């Protein structure tokens, strides 16, 4: 019965994706579903999403479980649309099923559980919005869950944590003057400036023992008139680092590059907009709880060591902002192919039951 309800929720959410901070129908669907099941959900005051409390918050630990609710916006078969190609539809369904499974469990007499349906993970700011709502402050444990690509975890396996790296981006404008194609001495070609930025980024060298990368991922310059040397360009840089300290060093070096370019070419680097998500800072106690829960559910041979990945997730803002919080993210094997964020991503739906069972065990095992 629970599995049937889980799959019904999954397919509804899969077929009705909404992008970050626009998850109004998703919020209403989950709210109404939970209310119909006898729960008392609460909508967030200042953002989309909701939370729901169960159990006794006056005795024992308070445990949080998080599901991200937004979808990506991408081109699918020639059509740009919202699309659940990161598995958030599965995450929501598993967390809803976990709520149904633990609903009448006597363990709730001795601990509290807060289920959080968080918006806007894909833009990296949803966790911060939830922190601002104040609903994480009284948690002792906090567990997340994420589907993993087949290269990291096969169906029937699970990892006791996902150690994401930090991911950041910088958008900016090169601002100069256009010039006639016959008079290149009258301006600096923004395209050539961009090429120099790309070259200088490749010369950034920081500790090679800690994985990191930096590359330009957006460059827009020029127009329909090909006899104009463009003086302006819109640019974007993607940065990755496995630790927060490494990201700080990388960011400093990128800003040095932009300042050098600005001075050398006498152009302006304007409208600089930095955004990013932090690297994981998982708590060993939470990892141990997930490890035990995986072993009890799948067997010791199916429990994987922490997965280290250069991908990012804003879940880790919770433990960075609240260092005393015992947080970790479960990595669920499901034969996901060809990869996360692929417009036609697929996975084995049978894995959802494993995820629900492990989360259920984690709530029981957290002390």
């Amino acid at each position: 019965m629970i599995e049937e309800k889980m799959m019904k929720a999954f397919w509804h959410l899969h077929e009705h994706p909404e992008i970050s901070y626009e998850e109004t129908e998703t919020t209403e669907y989950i709210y109404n579903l939970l209310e119909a099941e006898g729960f008392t959900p609460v909508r967030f005051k200042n953002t989309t999403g909701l939370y729901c409390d169960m159990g006794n918050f006056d005795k024992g630990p308070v445990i949080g479980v998080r599901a991200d609710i937004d979808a990506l916006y991408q081109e699918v078969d020639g059509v740009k649309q919202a699309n659940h190609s990161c598995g958030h539809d599965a995450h929501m369904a598993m967390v809803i099923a976990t709520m149904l499974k633990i609903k009448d469990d006597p363990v709730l007499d001795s601990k509290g559980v807060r289920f959080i349906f968080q918006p806007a993970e894909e833009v990296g700011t949803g966790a911060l919005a939830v922190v601002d709502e104040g609903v994480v402050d009284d948690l002792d444990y906090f567990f997340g869950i994420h589907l993993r690509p087949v290269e990291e975890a096969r169906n029937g396996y699970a990892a006791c944590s996902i150690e994401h790296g930090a991911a950041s981006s910088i958008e900016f404008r090169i601002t100069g003057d256009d010039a006639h194609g016959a008079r290149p001495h009258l301006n600096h070609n923004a395209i050539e400036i961009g090429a120099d930025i790309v070259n200088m980024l490749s010369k950034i060298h920081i500790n090679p023992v800690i994985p990191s990368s930096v590359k330009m991922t957006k460059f827009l310059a020029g127009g329909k008139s090909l006899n104009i040397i463009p003086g302006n360009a819109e640019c974007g840089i993607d940065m990755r680092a496995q630790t927060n300290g490494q990201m700080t060093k990388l960011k400093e070096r990128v800003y040095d590059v932009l300042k050098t370019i600005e001075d050398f070419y006498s152009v302006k680097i304007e409208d600089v907009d930095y955004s990013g998500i932090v690297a994981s800072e998982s708590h060993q106690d939470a990892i141990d709880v997930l490890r035990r829960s995986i072993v009890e559910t799948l067997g010791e041979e199916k429990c994987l060591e922490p997965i280290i990945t250069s991908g990012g997730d804003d879940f880790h803002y919770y433990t960075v902002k609240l260092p005393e919080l015992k947080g970790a993210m479960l990595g669920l094997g499901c034969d996901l192919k060809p990869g996360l964020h692929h417009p036609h991503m697929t996975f084995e739906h049978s894995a959802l039951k494993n995820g629900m069972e492990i989360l259920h065990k984690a709530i029981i095992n957290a002390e």
Side-chain angles (χ1 to χ4, degrees), residues 171-183:
E171 290 191 89
F172 59 94
R173 286 180 53 84
I174 299 170
T175 304
D177 297 309
D178 292 347
H180 194 286
R183 297 173 177 82

Side-chain angles (χ1 to χ4, degrees), residues 314-334:
D314 75 348
F315 177 83
H316 305 295
Y317 270 122
Y318 295 116
T319 51
V320 169
K321 290 289 185 180
L322 301 162
E324 70 282 0
L325 182 61
K326 300 175 181 179
M329 177 174 280
L330 172 69
L332 185 66
C334 56

